[in-house]
């Protein structure tokens, strides 16, 4: 039978033990989707699976602020990254919040009628471009910044993993493209989505919560250590590249303006001469363009699925790091109070 997985064959979820089984148990409880492909695809590298789940859980699910607003932020990010799998998933999750008309407006590519919702969606889209002027004023209260920013950065990472290692079909035959299926799927998740999750429960799953409290914008919240743990796990993939290839990835990301590379991407390394750097840069900037040939050129008998997941994660987080470093964060958050537009918090 066809599977949603590309380039890797993850372990069967029913065979999971230890920390991986614990992540799956929390997924079922707090996300409402058992064995979600988005996370199963990372199970070849459990040290990446746990912090990816932790960051998403502590920001989108358990973080402060309305779930509707954070789903809109995740949708905006996913649209900007051209990740149809995640766009469809979060449209369905908007249905789960009870905002059915809003979900269908977004599904049609429309602008939400509510100005606060429209601002959050636009902010999510703008986060792809480092330092974009549309990122200020922030469309949410200062105290909700860790959850919203964590949600956005979580999906900049997840979108890239999904686009690189999964097909774009959320459901068989893309049946989620039908309104009735989206609505029914959302309703089946509504009880879980509307239940308040206890913050911090995922931190016990992390390898080393002592990686630090995380960035300043997340100080004092579980989002901080979850972000720090994912950063540590993802950047470990740099060891799969030599120093020259690592330098190329850093230099390319430093100059990146958020655009999608053209088909004539002349700076993309040659597949045969620098396959690792090519894969990492594709994962960072255009993961949907990774081909079987790109993977085959890099893989050797020593390169397992564990290695490939780590290399893709390294490239994906290189983009996250660039985006995070250029975000106007808490020192701009007070500006939202002076805007006449209502926030998503005030309208949800």
């Amino acid at each position: 039978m066809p599977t949603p997985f590309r380039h890797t064959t993850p372990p069967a979820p029913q065979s999971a033990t230890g920390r991986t089984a614990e992540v799956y148990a929390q997924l079922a409880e707090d996300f409402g989707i058992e064995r979600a492909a988005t996370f199963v695809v990372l199970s070849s590298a459990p040290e990446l699976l746990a912090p990816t789940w932790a960051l998403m859980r502590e920001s989108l699910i358990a973080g402060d602020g309305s779930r509707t607003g954070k789903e809109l932020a995740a949708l905006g990010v996913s649209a900007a990254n051209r990740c149809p799998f995640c766009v469809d998933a979060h449209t369905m999750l908007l249905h789960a919040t009870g905002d059915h008309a809003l979900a269908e407006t977004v599904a049609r590519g429309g602008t939400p009628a509510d100005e606060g919702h429209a601002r959050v969606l636009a902010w999510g889209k703008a986060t792809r471009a480092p330092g974009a002027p549309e990122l200020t004023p922030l469309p949410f209260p200062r105290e909700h910044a860790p959850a919203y920013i964590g949600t956005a950065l979580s999906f900049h990472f997840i979108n890239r993993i999904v686009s690189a290692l999964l097909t774009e079909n959320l459901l068989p035959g893309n049946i989620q493209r039908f309104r009735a299926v989206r609505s029914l799927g959302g309703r089946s998740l509504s009880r879980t989505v509307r239940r308040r999750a206890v913050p911090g429960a995922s931190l016990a799953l992390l390898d080393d919560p002592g990686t630090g409290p995380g960035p300043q914008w997340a100080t004092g919240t579980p989002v901080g250590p979850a972000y720090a743990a994912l950063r540590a796990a993802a950047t470990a993939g740099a060891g799969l590249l030599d120093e020259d290839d690592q330098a190329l990835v850093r230099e390319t990301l430093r100059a990146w303006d958020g655009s999608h590379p053209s088909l004539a991407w002349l700076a993309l390394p040659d597949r045969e001469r620098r396959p690792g750097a090519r894969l990492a840069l594709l994962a960072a900037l255009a993961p949907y363009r990774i081909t079987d040939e790109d993977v085959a050129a890099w893989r050797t008998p020593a390169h397992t699925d564990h290695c490939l997941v780590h290399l893709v994660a390294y490239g994906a987080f290189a983009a996250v790091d660039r985006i995070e470093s250029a975000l106007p964060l808490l020192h701009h958050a007070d500006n939202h109070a002076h805007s006449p537009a209502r926030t998503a918090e005030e309208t949800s």
Side-chain angles (χ1 to χ4, degrees):
M1 292 181 63
T3 76
F5 306 109
R6 302 170 63 227
H7 312 309
T8 71
T9 304
Q14 57 268 31
S15 69
T17 59
R19 179 175 41 169
T20 299
E22 292 177 39
V23 170
Y24 289 159
Q26 277 200 2
L27 266 169
E29 176 71 17
D30 293 335
F31 196 44
I33 303 174
E34 292 189 34
R35 304 167 185 176
T38 313
F39 294 95
V40 173
V41 74
L42 289 167
S43 63
S44 297
E47 62 275 18
L48 282 165
L49 169 63
T52 301
W53 161 243
L55 181 58
M56 191 191 82
R57 183 195 184 277
E58 300 306 333
S59 55
L60 175 69
I61 297 172
D64 290 331
S66 82
R67 182 66 180 264
T68 293
K70 289 178 290 181
E71 289 293 345
L72 283 167
L75 264 166
V77 170
S78 301
N81 289 329
R82 301 179 183 174
C83 182
F85 183 106
C86 292
V87 167
D88 288 343
H90 291 281
T91 301
M92 194 174 294
L93 285 164
L94 263 185
H95 273 288
T97 69
D99 291 290
H100 303 293
L102 174 61
E104 288 306 305
T105 296
V106 175
R108 294 191 300 269
T111 299
D114 181 272
E115 188 175 1
H117 289 155
R119 290 175 60 211
V120 171
L121 181 65
W123 177 85
K125 291 178 180 178
T127 59
R128 179 175 168 99
E134 296 85 355
L135 294 174
T136 54
L138 297 179
F140 40 77
R142 177 188 181 109
E143 61 270 23
H144 296 169
Y148 274 89
I149 293 167
T151 294
L153 296 177
S154 172
F155 282 94
H156 276 297
F157 183 74
I158 289 171
N159 289 167
R160 287 165 169 81
I161 298 296
V162 166
S163 293
L165 300 177
L166 295 179
T167 68
E168 68 175 44
N169 298 344
L170 176 65
L171 296 174
N174 265 335
I175 60 171
Q176 76 282 350
R177 301 291 166 85
F178 294 100
R179 176 175 182 162
V181 174
R182 290 193 294 268
S183 178
L184 182 62
R187 290 173 195 275
S188 72
L189 296 169
S190 62
R191 181 174 297 179
T192 301
V193 166
R194 298 181 199 187
R195 185 177 65 234
R196 176 66 175 167
V198 177
S202 67
L203 300 187
L205 301 173
L206 300 179
D207 257 348
D208 182 12
T211 49
Q216 186 176 2
W217 52 263
T219 297
T221 72
V223 176
Y227 184 86
L230 180 57
R231 190 178 195 279
T235 54
L240 292 162
L241 301 179
D242 63 29
E243 291 185 5
D244 287 344
D245 282 352
Q246 290 181 40
L248 177 62
V249 172
R250 288 194 301 271
E251 291 162 8
T252 302
L253 268 296
R254 191 178 298 121
W256 178 54
D257 62 1
S259 61
H260 288 266
S262 68
L263 291 177
W265 185 2
L266 300 180
L268 183 64
D270 180 79
R271 181 183 293 137
E272 301 306 321
R273 289 186 294 174
R274 302 181 77 174
R278 180 185 179 94
L279 276 175
L281 285 173
L282 282 169
L285 305 185
Y288 45 82
R289 285 170 54 179
I290 292 176
T291 65
D292 291 341
E293 292 76 17
D294 292 323
V295 174
W298 174 76
R299 289 197 87 149
T300 68
H303 287 152
T304 62
D305 283 356
H306 177 272
C307 298
L308 180 58
V309 170
H310 263 287
L311 183 58
V312 170
Y314 165 68
F317 207 88
V320 174
D321 216 15
R322 170 75 173 106
I323 290 165
E324 191 269 349
S325 70
L327 275 176
L329 302 175
L330 295 182
H331 57 287
H332 288 299
D334 287 335
N335 291 344
H336 85 276
H338 306 296
S339 171
R342 291 183 300 165
T343 70
E345 304 305 322
E346 296 166 331
T347 57
S348 298

